[in-house]
């Protein structure tokens, strides 16, 4: 297992049921305590784990949600303690269970501890995977490792299966080329999104009853804000924007100015007097990327890629970790049928896990005029469809439930195609109609959208 991010840790859990020994190799020297690390700089930004992702982690590690909540994580009522505005309309606050809210480093630390405790699993950090070892024409039989920056320190490790969970850089794909295979084709959608985030300590109650506020970008205002209560009562505010003119500022003086038009006045004022716990972290995300491993004609045995190495989704939709966990589930199912032809079977299943999140996120992005490459008429149609769906979700509990189940990757997206839901959306289909932001639960902060 190469990479100890979310996909590497979940896949290690899947492998541990089938192999006597699983070695997880991580380039970073892993921290003893929670902190953003070099290999996962996105850890400074809000990392929402969807209920669908939490469900998979719970299946892999029973009691995980309660453990994190007991360790300080926040459990927020979905949707009654969340204030969510998508495409200008506020999602009706139907009670639909609970959402775990923690920082990425905290989540990863706890997951790592669970993985370390699995029988036969060993974690080796401060080691970089540099190249696959080939077994003649048919496959891969191991990997070369070295200490970062010290290529002479290499060691060769044999393995029945090498799993690339090294993130979106795509080493697994280029390794295929070095082994004489084709690299997978890839779909890219340029989104030019940038993030800026800061953590705060806020006086109890100062932010009102909502434990999370999510104000999504709209076609007219391609900026968004996510404010989430995480472990130990710290809050993280992540701001983002599409296109250079709407990238959030990285300077402490201007950071909150960007949020003034996004957040409710009382929320914004509470943040102005809150205690910053960190500086401001910035992150540029140029393009969503999906590699079509499932379409390769020839694939070597003994090597698979997973997680962001297969598909990196625009982070504003918060689905990347869930897709990584679902791919690990797919790997577990494929291993049930042995190692024969595993890569092809796995990529077919992984493509199923990726398909809908990729479709939803790229369709939503294509509705933004700032995202190039979509015919303006199609972009307008998509914009109307998302706006009408969200106007309906503001009024109609069935539509709100279907939308939440789709974005949280819990239910089947087919719920959105139910006749009652479609009829409700069509009733709200009126291009140019005002968004629906009426209050649905007393006392929750309202965005100025
Ligand atoms: C700004 C931002 C915000 C995001 N917000 C969310 C969110 O709210 N919700 C969500 O679900 N997802 C979110 N994501 C996506 C999420 O971070 C990823 O989808 C998820 O982490 C899965 O990634 P991964 O484990 O495949 O790769 P990574 O998280 O990138 O992990 C790769 C690991 O491999 C290691 N590595 C790299 N090269 C080597 C090597 N040669 N040898 C050994 N180890 C190596 C790295 O050090 C790292 O530990 C966000 C992403 C960004 C950029």
């Amino acid at each position: 297992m190469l990479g100890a991010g979310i996909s590497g840790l979940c896949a290690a859990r899947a492998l541990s049921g089938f192999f006597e020994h699983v070695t997880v190799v991580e380039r970073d020297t892993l921290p003893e305590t929670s902190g953003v690390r070099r290999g996962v700089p996105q850890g400074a930004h809000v990392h929402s784990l969807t209920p669908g992702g939490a469900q998979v982690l719970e299946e892999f590690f029973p009691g995980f949600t309660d453990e994190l909540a007991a360790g300080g994580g926040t459990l927020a009522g979905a949707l009654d303690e969340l204030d969510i505005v998508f495409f200008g309309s506020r999602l009706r606050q139907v009670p639909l269970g609970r959402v775990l809210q923690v920082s990425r480093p905290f989540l990863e630390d706890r997951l790592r501890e669970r993985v370390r405790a699995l029988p036969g699993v060993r974690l080796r950090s401060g080691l970089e995977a540099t190249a696959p070892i080939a077994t003649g024409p048919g496959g891969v039989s191991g990997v070369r490792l070295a200490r970062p920056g010290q290529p002479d320190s290499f060691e060769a490790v044999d393995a029945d299966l090498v799993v690339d969970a090294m993130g979106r850089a795509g080493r697994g794909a280029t390794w295929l080329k070095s082994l004489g295979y084709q690299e997978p084709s890839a779909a890219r959608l340029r989104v030019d999104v940038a993030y800026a985030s800061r953590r705060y300590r806020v006086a109890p109650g100062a932010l009102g009853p909502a434990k999370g506020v999510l104000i999504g970008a709209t076609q007219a205002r391609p900026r968004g804000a996510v404010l989430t209560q995480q472990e130990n009562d710290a809050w993280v505010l992540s701001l983002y924007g599409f296109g250079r003119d709407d990238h959030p500022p990285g300077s402490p003086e201007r950071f909150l100015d960007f949020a003034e038009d996004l957040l409710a006045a009382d929320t914004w004022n509470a943040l102005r007097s809150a205690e910053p716990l960190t500086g401001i972290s910035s992150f540029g995300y140029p393009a969503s990327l999906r590699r079509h491993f499932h379409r390769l004609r020839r694939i070597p045995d003994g090597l698979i890629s997973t997680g962001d190495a297969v598909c990196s989704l625009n982070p504003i939709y918060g689905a990347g970790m869930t897709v990584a966990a679902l791919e690990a589930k797919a790997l577990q199912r494929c291993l049930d049928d042995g190692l024969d032809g595993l890569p092809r079977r796995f990529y077919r299943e992984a493509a199923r896990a990726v398909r809908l999140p990729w479709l939803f996120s790229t369709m939503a992005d294509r509705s933004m005029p700032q995202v190039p490459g979509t015919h303006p008429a199609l972009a307008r149609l998509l914009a109307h469809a998302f706006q009408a769906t969200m106007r309906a979700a503001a009024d109609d509990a069935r539509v709100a439930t279907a939308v939440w189940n789709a974005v949280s990757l819990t239910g089947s997206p087919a719920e959105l195609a139910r006749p009652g839901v479609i009829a409700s959306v069509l009733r709200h289909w009126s291009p140019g109609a005002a968004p629906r932001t009426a209050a649905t639960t007393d006392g929750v902060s309202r965005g100025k959208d």
Side-chain angles (χ1 to χ4, degrees):
M1 175 57 50
L2 309 176
I6 301 297
S7 62
L9 295 172
C10 289
R13 167 66 185 82
L15 296 183
S16 72
F18 296 88
F19 294 97
E20 208 178 326
H21 301 290
V22 176
T23 305
V24 182
V25 175
E26 168 55 47
R27 185 176 52 193
D28 281 353
T29 303
L30 292 172
E32 292 302 317
T33 53
S34 280
V36 177
R37 60 189 176 84
R38 199 171 165 193
V40 184
Q42 72 267 36
H45 306 272
V46 74
H47 258 70
S48 319
L49 177 66
T50 72
Q55 204 172 299
V56 177
L57 293 186
E58 193 62 36
E59 281 165 30
F60 276 151
F61 304 103
F64 191 65
T65 308
D66 287 346
E67 178 195 321
L68 268 66
T74 296
L75 285 173
L79 299 165
D80 42 332
E81 291 182 305
L82 301 178
D83 184 19
I84 300 178
V85 179
F86 285 150
F87 293 100
S89 293
R90 175 162 283 110
L91 198 56
R92 195 179 175 88
Q93 289 180 309
V94 193
L96 292 173
R98 293 180 313 169
V99 186
L100 176 69
Q101 297 183 165
V102 290
S103 69
R104 163 74 188 246
F106 184 79
L107 175 71
E108 212 180 84
D109 283 1
R110 297 301 172 113
L111 203 52
R112 202 162 55 231
E113 286 320 305
R114 285 290 194 116
V115 168
R116 268 201 178 112
L118 293 168
V121 177
R122 181 176 173 216
L123 231 150
R124 298 184 66 193
S125 76
L127 274 176
E128 181 175 19
T130 56
I133 300 171
T135 16
V140 168
S141 62
V143 70
R144 278 172 174 255
L145 307 176
R147 283 192 287 282
Q150 300 176 37
D152 293 341
S153 65
F154 89 86
E155 73 180 270
V157 175
D158 291 337
D160 294 322
L161 181 64
V162 174
V163 181
D164 153 30
M166 293 180 282
R168 75 173 258 153
R171 275 176 203 79
T174 48
W175 283 1
L176 286 181
K177 198 168 173 196
S178 73
L179 293 165
Y181 294 80
Q182 270 197 328
E183 267 192 64
S185 60
R188 264 188 191 78
L189 183 66
R190 187 164 171 72
V191 292
D192 189 15
V193 164
Y195 269 65
S197 300
R198 186 168 217 184
R199 281 168 74 78
Y200 292 92
R201 172 118 31 240
V202 185
L207 287 172
K211 292 180 175 171
V213 178
L214 194 163
I215 310 295
T218 64
Q219 287 76 18
R221 190 214 52 213
R223 299 176 169 199
V226 188
L227 175 65
T228 309
Q229 184 182 14
Q230 301 187 327
E231 66 273 11
N232 304 324
D233 293 328
W235 290 72
V236 62
L237 174 65
S238 284
L239 305 174
Y240 69 83
F242 284 83
R244 181 193 273 266
D245 291 348
D246 289 286
H247 286 173
S251 68
E253 297 75 29
R254 293 174 48 234
F255 177 71
L256 278 178
D257 293 350
F258 184 95
E260 190 177 0
D261 289 343
L262 294 166
L263 298 173
D266 51 354
T267 305
W268 189 71
N269 281 323
L271 284 171
R272 279 185 7 138
S273 44
E275 174 199 353
L277 296 174
T278 61
I280 294 175
S281 304
S282 299
F283 194 101
Y285 185 88
S288 301
L289 170 68
R290 182 181 181 190
R291 294 191 173 89
H292 302 134
F293 284 96
H294 60 294
R295 294 192 189 151
L296 285 170
R297 292 227 172 122
R298 289 173 59 239
I299 315 181
D301 282 332
L303 173 66
I304 60 169
S305 295
T306 187
D308 277 15
V310 174
C311 184
S312 158
L313 296 157
N314 183 344
I316 69 168
Y317 305 108
M321 296 190 297
T322 298
V323 170
L326 289 169
E327 286 177 56
K329 257 321 212 196
L331 179 58
Q332 191 179 45
R333 283 194 301 275
C334 292
L335 283 165
D336 276 336
D337 292 328
L339 286 179
D340 243 18
L342 177 79
R344 187 166 302 288
R345 288 185 286 115
F346 168 70
Y347 286 131
R348 216 178 285 139
E349 289 257 340
R352 273 192 209 118
V354 164
R355 190 171 298 134
L356 282 169
W358 173 262
L359 187 72
F360 277 138
S361 68
T362 53
M363 282 199 327
D365 285 340
R366 283 183 190 284
S367 76
M368 304 294 291
Q370 296 73 17
V371 171
T374 303
H375 191 285
L378 175 60
R380 274 197 302 277
L381 178 70
L382 289 170
H384 291 325
F386 282 111
Q387 287 160 4
T389 306
M390 284 311 301
R391 277 196 295 270
D395 281 346
D396 184 333
R398 276 173 314 176
V399 184
T401 305
V403 166
W404 175 250
N405 287 344
V407 296
S408 65
L409 297 166
T410 35
S412 159
E415 277 180 53
L416 282 168
R418 286 206 180 126
V421 171
I422 291 182
S424 182
V425 171
L426 289 177
R427 277 198 301 280
H428 289 81
W429 189 288
S430 142
R436 304 298 300 263
T437 52
T440 49
T441 295
D442 289 343
V444 172
S445 316
R446 300 286 160 223
K448 290 182 276 178
D449 35 47

